[in-house]
Amino acid sequence: MSEQRAVVITGSGSGIGQATAAAFLAQGATVHGFDLAEPQPDPLPERDSGRWVPHRLDVADADAVRAALGRVVDEEGGVDVLVTSAAVGFPEPFSEMTPESWDRVFGINVTGTMTCIQTVLPSMIENGSGAVVVISSIAGRTRSVANGAHYTVSKYGLIGLTRHLAAELAGTGVRINCVAPGPTNSPILTANSSEEEIEGIVQRTPLRRIAEPEDVASVVEFVADPRARHIHGAVLDVNGGLY
């Protein structure tokens, strides 16, 4: 594997995923960004920063995930960091929830995460190193403030997946951790919440602000770094004190 780290980030077209891509590019990494539409980091990488490789992908399509991430593994000789940030949520109440919306949320948030990890994990184990960062949510700690029950349940599932895999990966050299952001200034919150609702969240948050995507990206970047070598199976809350 090259000295330049190879990083795969899903959901990198906006919000936390986009900010995380920019953070790793600033480190000089080769970043493969995946989203439904061709993603672009914000801010754009500077001339001397890392290499940005955008891809279109629906992570709910398991065959497409295996093909696309498999090509990255082959091209890069493995993946050093995987960040699973792709997510979707809908604000519908439980009584109005349809099987189709339930399946879409789980297809992206949970099954998509599973397929991404399954695809890159063999190369990480073969190389004896690697870091997986799963993006859950404060919804996986309590409940969603902007989305329905399907979103909440999916985010609980990602915490369970992280903790289970932490045990399975013992002795492989591969670390997995979970980051659980609180309400963040990203489309998944702003599209489903009014200004008044967001202000109410701000007033309930001890730090009196919602997170910016960069606040979460900096934690993702740290926990994926070799400096965090003894952090494994952890759930890191980035929520301004809101529980």
Side-chain angles (χ1 to χ4, degrees), residues 28-47:
T30 293
V31 179
H32 290 263
F34 292 84
D35 213 309
L36 287 171
E38 187 169 296
Q40 179 170 294
D42 183 22
L44 289 170
E46 297 179 1
R47 180 178 300 174

Side-chain angles (χ1 to χ4, degrees), residues 43-110:
L44 289 170
E46 297 179 1
R47 180 178 300 174
D48 296 329
S49 65
R51 182 168 66 97
W52 171 244
V53 188
H55 307 263
R56 292 184 180 181
L57 180 69
D58 182 350
V59 298
D61 185 338
D63 290 339
V65 168
R66 294 186 188 103
L69 270 64
R71 283 193 295 269
V72 173
V73 169
D74 291 340
E75 292 169 6
E76 301 293 344
V79 171
D80 297 286
V81 178
L82 169 65
V83 181
T84 59
S85 184
V88 67
F90 307 113
E92 57 198 0
F94 185 75
S95 60
E96 299 175 13
M97 197 169 294
T98 65
E100 291 76 17
S101 64
W102 180 277
D103 290 345
R104 184 60 178 164
V105 169
F106 271 78
I108 293 177
N109 297 7
V110 181

Side-chain angles (χ1 to χ4, degrees), residues 118-198:
Q118 279 188 333
T119 304
V120 305
L121 196 55
S123 67
M124 288 183 170
I125 293 173
E126 182 179 352
N127 290 326
S129 65
V132 177
V133 184
V134 175
I135 306 299
S136 179
S137 168
I138 192 173
R141 294 293 211 179
T142 55
R143 66 174 181 85
S144 176
V145 299
N147 293 289
H150 36 20
Y151 183 84
T152 294
V153 176
S154 74
K155 293 299 186 175
Y156 269 85
L158 293 178
I159 290 176
L161 178 64
T162 299
R163 288 177 167 158
H164 184 92
L165 286 182
E168 282 202 14
L169 292 172
T172 65
V174 179
R175 296 185 301 112
I176 184 168
N177 290 288
C178 184
V179 173
T184 302
N185 184 20
S186 63
I188 204 164
L189 173 68
T190 57
N192 297 330
S193 305
S194 67
E195 291 184 8
E196 292 77 13
E197 288 170 331
I198 292 175

